[in-house]
Amino acid sequence: PGIYTLSLHDALPISFLLGDQIVGRCDLKADRKEGVLRLLGAFAELDVAEEAVADDLAAELQQLATMVGVERVSVDATGRLANLVKAAL
């Protein structure tokens, strides 16, 4: 065991909590040079309808972009949830 360190070039996996339930997971990278929070992967949990969480996830990603000091969110992932998030942004 040791301390996990994250390189500036790595994506950070984040669990998405809605209410008191983890409803999805995202791979994110803050590209400060470009001023973008990149969504590299978006995955709903097995028992969660993607349509039910996409709008909330988009809103949270916008807030997170502001918190980390970037201007916008870019959906660089493919798949159903990623497409729904992209449409919600």
Side-chain angles (χ1 to χ4, degrees):
I3 297 174
Y4 177 76
T5 58
L6 186 66
S7 159
L8 294 176
H9 304 288
D10 291 337
L12 181 63
I14 301 286
S15 295
F16 178 49
L17 184 68
L18 188 59
D20 62 353
Q21 179 183 11
I22 294 176
V23 296
R25 301 177 194 279
C26 300
D27 294 330
L28 300 173
K29 180 176 182 179
D31 184 344
R32 288 182 177 84
K33 182 179 176 183
E34 297 294 323
V36 175
L37 178 65
R38 299 191 183 280
L39 178 61
L40 304 174
F43 315 94
E45 296 299 315
L46 292 177
D47 58 342
V48 173
E50 294 161 328
E51 300 84 5
V53 299
D55 289 343
D56 290 317
L57 178 54
E60 290 296 325
L61 290 173
Q62 288 176 316
Q63 287 183 347
L64 182 57
T66 300
M67 286 175 43
V68 298
V70 297
E71 300 167 8
R72 63 187 179 88
V73 177
S74 174
V75 179
D76 298 347
T78 58
R80 182 163 170 71
L81 181 55
N83 291 339
L84 290 167
V85 168
K86 189 174 189 175
L89 290 170

